[in-house]
């Protein structure tokens, strides 16, 4: 049969738990500054101000990484226990955290694009990353590995980052 294997509710719960963990870390990586960044990018009247805002966003992101990754690395066993009821996923917890934190610039670039009225470019980058991440997640779910599915989904955020950076590279005031 071509239908995917049936999964029990616990499998979906583990997938959901890890996905929420990844999403929370991705949001925390930019300390929720997306709306402010969009506002400041929209208000920028010269390239110097926009560059200053962009630099501030990247400094905040860089400062947040050690504050977030160190506890994840120290407590990956406990995080795995809480999310999945086993310590077996301690290394995937770290991998998910690294991907989620590394993808912070995707939010920065998409926010700048949106603020500069390049919403279609921002949404395009996000859509490409979402399609790639969803495809990787679906492949892993069908293979029965819900934790790898989250890693695959988070990989889509890295794709978003690449496209958002490309779209923002030619951005002018």
């Amino acid at each position: 049969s071509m239908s995917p294997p049936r999964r029990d509710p616990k499998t979906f719960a583990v997938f959901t738990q890890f996905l929420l963990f990844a999403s929370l870390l991705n949001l925390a990586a930019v300390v929720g500054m997306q709306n402010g960044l969009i506002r400041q990018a929209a208000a920028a009247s010269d390239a110097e101000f926009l560059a200053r805002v962009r630099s501030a966003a990247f400094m905040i992101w860089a400062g947040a990484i050690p504050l977030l990754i160190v506890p994840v690395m120290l407590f990956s066993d406990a995080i795995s226990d809480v999310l999945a009821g086993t310590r077996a996923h301690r290394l995937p917890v770290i991998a998910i955290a690294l991907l989620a934190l590394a993808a912070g610039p995707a939010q920065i670039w998409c926010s700048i694009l949106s603020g500069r009225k390049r919403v279609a470019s921002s949404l395009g980058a996000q859509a490409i990353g979402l399609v790639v991440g969803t495809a990787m997640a679906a492949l892993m779910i069908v293979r029965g590995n819900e934790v790898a599915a989250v890693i695959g989904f988070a990989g889509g955020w890295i794709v978003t980052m690449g496209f958002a950076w490309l779209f923002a590279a030619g951005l002018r005031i």
Side-chain angles (χ1 to χ4, degrees):
S1 156
M2 295 298 287
S3 63
R6 293 181 57 99
R7 301 283 171 230
D8 64 36
K10 183 179 183 228
T11 300
F12 182 73
V14 169
F15 171 75
T16 304
Q17 287 291 99
F18 277 95
L19 188 58
L20 290 172
F21 171 70
S23 298
L24 177 63
L25 282 176
N26 185 249
L27 178 64
V30 292
V31 253
M33 71 175 139
Q34 300 91 321
N35 286 338
L37 189 53
I38 291 168
R39 240 184 355 264
Q40 296 308 319
S45 58
D46 61 60
E48 183 182 326
F49 180 76
L50 185 59
R52 199 168 77 232
V53 168
R54 183 189 64 232
S55 293
F58 277 100
M59 283 190 286
I60 292 166
W61 167 70
I65 289 176
L67 296 175
L68 296 166
I69 197 62
V70 169
V72 168
M73 292 178 88
L74 290 174
F75 304 114
S76 60
D77 284 344
I79 294 167
S80 179
D81 253 344
V82 169
L83 297 179
T86 176
R87 291 182 173 223
H89 302 304
R90 111 180 159 68
L91 291 178
V93 162
I94 294 169
I96 290 166
L98 289 171
L99 279 171
L101 296 174
Q107 294 186 65
I108 294 170
W109 289 120
C110 286
S111 296
I112 290 171
L113 285 166
S114 294
R116 297 309 300 164
K117 295 185 173 116
R118 300 273 306 271
V119 175
S121 295
S122 174
L123 292 175
Q126 293 174 61
I128 293 166
L130 186 60
V131 167
V132 169
T134 301
M136 291 192 294
L139 178 65
M140 291 298 106
I141 287 173
V142 167
R143 290 183 175 188
N145 193 334
E146 65 278 3
V147 177
V150 175
I151 293 171
F153 188 82
W157 295 336
I158 303 298
V159 173
T160 295
M161 180 174 59
F163 278 95
W165 175 79
L166 282 173
F167 295 156
L171 197 58
R172 302 282 179 255
I173 296 274

